[in-house]
Amino acid sequence: MTTVGGRVGAAPQTALELLRLLAEDAPAELLEQQAAQVEAANPGAGAAARPLALRVRAVLDARRRREAELSALVDTARELASMRDPGHVLEAIVRRARTLLGTDVAHLTLHDKARGDTYMRATDGAVSPVFKSVRLPLGTGLGGLVAQTRRPYWTTDYFADLRFQHAEKLDNAVADEGLVAICGVPLLVDEEFVGVLMASNRSPRPFTHEEVSLLGSLAALAAVSIVQARAAAETQEALSALSVAYETVRRQATAAERAATAHDQFAQIVLSGGGVDDIASALAELLGGWVVVLDARGRRTAAHGEGPPPETGGTDPLATSAAVRASDSSGRLAASGGIWAAAVAAAGDRMGTLVLGGRQPLDANDQRTVERAAVVTALLLLFRQQASESELRVRTDLLADLLSPDASTAHVTTLPARARLLGIDLSEPHVLAVCQPAPGQSRRSVVVAAAELLEELTAPGRGRPGHPGLVGEHAGDVVVLVPGGDPSTVATRLAERLSGAGTPVTVGAAGPVVPENGLREAYPEAVRTSQALISLGTPGRGACATDLGFAGLVVGGTPDVGRYVTSVLGPLLDYDARRRSDLLGTVEAYFAAGMSPSRAAGALHVHVNTVAQRLERVAHVLGPDWAAPGRAMEVQLALRLHRLNGTAPRDR
């Protein structure tokens, strides 16, 4: 059968060639050619071989395509597994879907449980802003139907397909993007609906079951990845929240520890006898920045840290800040312009302000630390005030006993010892001043102000109550006793510092005197001087009897002629008494002769040179200006009063 015309055996050979081509994955064109050769060699055999070969070829192509798809899905799964950002996962999904199905656009919507619809979350290949922001109600459009039924749907021509519920807004968005063919599959994880994955074309295109299945497989991967990414994001958020909570707890613990440290330091300062300055220093060290303590008058009493505004004289500039005003008004901690202020008050009285600045805003614990510092400062100031008042009472009692004319000898002998306990040496020269408040002004307030002033003037930097002077009330007057030898300066400084707007304090001073001997004599002179200043229409001034001259004698309450004569002529009288001379008579004759040395020499029956020599000695004793107009009047008045007292000068 195979030898006729040499044709026997040719057909099997061509059939084997066909199988070889299939094995070598030859293209369909070569298979068609080989099938034609089989038909030519053996008519009728090619008709059976051709479709069989092509079917085998199709099966191989399908398997190859499936392998490529599976490989692509594996790559997709690997890529998605490496992502933790949900946004990046969604972008990778739509990008893969568009690539695998070869469509113009791929897009993904997510389920919004709160609103009960889906919203466009990621696109690839889309250009329309309207389409990128569209929302799909469940059941509306192809995507809405997929979301509602949880089943895949596809169409070659969306607008002509009546299976879908068309809505104007949705259709306008689809038309704006120019989409025609659409395929959508649900994203499901354990029956949980996540969203819809869709691939679309801008021209009619049929979708095969294999393409729908491929998109479904990609959707399954996408759903799992989305859920995992969400879980990872939620875990990260939880970790971040836990980290924030930990940091908050850490800060609170640190602040609480700092507050406890502050409490311990403040308590230690109080127990060890520290003062307001120590509290300010501790607060600046604890919280950083700078701390300033203002008294009730707005004056700076303590400052620590770096950077507080400098003092400019008078009222401290911090005292006028908005924070200080707000705190003084409310009595609580206040802040303004980077400055924190806490009023210092005790027993209903504002005693000052604690000011903090030069640092970041305070948290709640730091604010409580500042408030606690203000309370401790108020306690220290209250203790100091009570100690000052107690010491003031002791000093007032001592001053009253020094001025009392009725004190017993036994009582008087204890005064020096009592004074030494207060740091006062009664054997040293002192100045006695009498302060006359303005009508209606509290004498007690003048006493307190004078005590504060003496502490500032006579004991700077002592850091504790007390000063080497005495202040108190005696016979309705405010009396001040201070070490020194210049009554004029003491009176002037007291008047300047004690007088305020509308509240002048007039001060008359006497001295210097030794308190254990001559204090009772100095007191009346100081009273007369203060009364003379008021009578002369100069309240608010300070002076001593010497400053007023004969004016004090004229307007004083009870003139003391002998003291006035002594104050003017005392050195001359002492000189005559020691030298048994009569310079006083020479001065009187000189003035009686109209200040002519020659006529005075005739009246005294001496040579004019003798008068000139005597006048030179007078200038040496009384001072070179004794004959100047103003001083000459004082000397002549004293001479007249001296004569009226019955002591006439001897002629020489």
Side-chain angles (χ1 to χ4, degrees):
M1 293 186 298
T2 60
T3 59
V4 179
R7 299 174 62 85
V8 179
Q13 287 294 332
T14 55
L16 288 175
E17 184 65 20
L18 187 62
L19 290 175
R20 185 183 64 78
L21 291 175
L22 286 173
E24 293 177 354
D25 197 19
E29 292 79 3
L30 290 179
L31 293 176
E32 290 280 3
Q33 294 176 6
Q34 188 62 35
Q37 292 179 11
V38 171
E39 179 66 21
N42 190 1
R50 180 177 177 276
L52 181 60
L54 293 178
R55 190 161 59 250
V56 172
R57 173 68 188 190
V59 171
L60 293 176
D61 288 344
R63 288 180 178 177
R64 187 179 298 106
R65 187 169 57 253
R66 186 60 178 167
E67 289 176 359
E69 292 172 353
L70 290 175
S71 178
L73 289 174
V74 170
D75 291 341
T76 301
R78 185 181 298 111
E79 181 182 7
L80 296 179
S82 66
M83 295 181 178
R84 291 294 179 265
D85 187 339
H88 293 166
V89 170
L90 298 178
E91 293 170 0
I93 290 170
V94 295
R95 186 172 61 252
R96 285 282 184 169
R98 182 186 178 197
T99 301
L100 290 176
L101 271 70
T103 56
D104 296 327
V105 179
H107 42 106
L108 186 148
T109 61
L110 292 180
H111 184 211
D112 188 339
K113 294 181 180 180
R115 296 182 56 169
D117 63 1
T118 62
Y119 61 95
M120 193 70 69
R121 179 60 181 82
T123 65
D124 189 65
V127 294
S128 169
V130 176
F131 180 76
K132 291 180 179 180
S133 61
V134 71
R135 299 188 74 96
L136 285 75
L138 298 184
T140 301
L142 186 147
L145 186 59
V146 173
Q148 185 180 54
T149 62
R150 316 287 174 86
R151 295 171 55 191
Y153 281 90
W154 62 94
T155 179
T156 302
D157 189 347
Y158 170 74
F159 291 100
D161 199 329
L162 300 180
R163 291 177 300 166
F164 311 117
Q165 179 182 343
H166 291 271
E168 181 179 1
K169 186 175 182 180
L170 175 60
D171 286 358
N172 288 340
V174 175
D176 195 51
E177 187 61 44
L179 301 181
V180 176
I182 305 174
C183 177
V185 294
L187 277 66
L188 300 172
V189 177
D190 296 333
E191 301 304 321
E192 178 187 356
F193 175 62
V194 178
V196 177
L197 177 61
M198 289 173 278
S200 305
N201 248 31
R202 294 189 175 93
S203 60
R205 164 190 168 162
F207 290 96
T208 66
H209 287 81
E210 290 79 5
E211 290 176 328
V212 175
S213 176
L214 177 60
L215 190 62
S217 299
L218 184 59
L221 287 176
V224 173
S225 299
I226 290 173
V227 172
Q228 290 178 341
R230 284 179 176 175
E234 290 172 356
T235 301
Q236 185 61 41
E237 289 179 2
L239 290 175
S240 298
L242 184 61
S243 177
V244 171
Y246 170 77
E247 182 62 23
T248 300
V249 171
R250 188 193 64 79
R251 287 198 304 267
Q252 291 177 347
T254 302
E257 183 178 356
R258 189 163 59 245
T261 301
H263 176 77
D264 293 342
Q265 287 192 13
F266 295 158
Q268 184 62 33
I269 289 172
V270 173
L271 294 176
S272 62
V276 172
D277 191 75
D278 299 311
I279 294 295
S281 176
L283 186 61
E285 182 178 351
L286 284 167
L287 300 185
W290 50 262
V291 176
V292 170
V293 182
L294 304 176
D295 64 13
R297 299 181 184 180
R299 298 174 303 183
R300 189 175 305 196
T301 61
H304 285 276
E306 297 183 359
E311 295 180 85
T312 57
T315 301
D316 195 290
L318 286 174
T320 61
S321 68
V324 172
R325 292 198 305 270
S327 179
D328 290 347
S329 175
S330 65
R332 301 184 62 82
L333 183 67
S336 178
I339 294 178
W340 294 80
V344 177
D349 295 330
R350 191 180 72 82
M351 309 173 75
T353 309
L354 194 65
V355 188
L356 174 70
R359 55 152 293 147
Q360 296 297 320
L362 304 175
D363 60 24
N365 285 291
D366 289 341
Q367 292 180 32
R368 285 192 290 272
T369 297
V370 176
E371 291 173 339
R372 184 179 291 113
V375 171
V376 176
T377 299
L379 289 175
L380 290 176
L381 289 177
L382 183 61
F383 295 157
R384 178 176 178 176
Q385 183 182 60
Q386 291 174 344
S388 296
E389 290 178 351
S390 176
E391 184 172 351
L392 183 60
R393 285 193 296 271
V394 174
R395 291 173 179 272
T396 299
D397 293 343
L398 176 60
L399 183 60
D401 290 341
L402 287 170
L403 294 172
S404 174
D406 302 324
S408 64
T409 303
H411 185 68
V412 169
T413 58
T414 65
L415 294 180
R418 289 168 57 190
R420 282 194 296 273
L421 292 176
L422 298 174
I424 299 172
D425 186 353
L426 296 181
S427 64
E428 293 293 326
H430 283 66
V431 172
L432 182 72
V434 172
C435 307
Q436 298 284 357
Q441 187 179 7
S442 168
R443 285 183 171 80
R444 180 62 180 173
S445 65
V446 177
V447 169
V448 173
E452 292 178 353
L453 178 59
L454 283 188
E455 182 177 348
E456 176 184 342
L457 295 179
T458 62
R462 289 168 63 93
R464 62 176 182 81
H467 50 77
L470 297 176
V471 180
E473 293 187 54
H474 179 71
D477 297 320
V478 176
V479 182
V480 178
L481 182 67
V482 58
D486 188 347
S488 178
T489 300
V490 170
T492 301
R493 296 186 71 177
L494 282 173
E496 289 176 350
R497 298 295 295 273
L498 296 179
S499 296
T503 56
V505 176
T506 307
V507 181
V513 294
V514 177
E516 62 185 9
N517 298 325
L519 200 59
R520 296 185 185 91
E521 290 73 21
Y523 172 67
E525 179 182 337
V527 171
R528 285 194 300 271
T529 303
S530 63
Q531 292 175 345
L533 288 170
I534 295 174
S535 299
L536 290 170
T538 56
R541 281 189 55 196
C544 63
T546 304
D547 297 329
L548 297 181
F550 77 92
L553 182 68
V554 173
V555 300
T558 304
D560 188 340
V561 175
R563 180 175 290 274
Y564 176 72
V565 171
T566 300
S567 66
V568 177
L569 300 179
L572 205 59
L573 293 171
D574 291 341
Y575 184 90
D576 283 346
R578 291 194 308 271
R579 302 294 182 88
R580 300 182 63 82
S581 60
D582 190 18
L583 294 181
L584 194 69
T586 301
V587 171
E588 188 174 27
Y590 175 69
F591 282 121
M595 301 179 70
S596 171
S598 60
R599 288 198 295 271
L604 293 173
H605 308 290
V606 295
H607 195 273
V608 66
N609 289 338
T610 302
V611 172
Q613 292 172 356
R614 291 179 180 179
L615 293 179
E616 287 180 1
R617 284 195 291 272
V618 170
H620 178 74
V621 174
L622 295 182
D625 63 338
W626 72 274
R631 185 81 183 279
M633 182 175 61
E634 296 275 357
V635 173
Q636 291 181 72
L637 178 60
L639 288 170
R640 181 62 59 88
L641 293 174
H642 183 64
R643 177 178 287 279
L644 292 175
N645 267 352
T647 308
R650 299 192 304 267
D651 291 339
R652 292 280 176 177

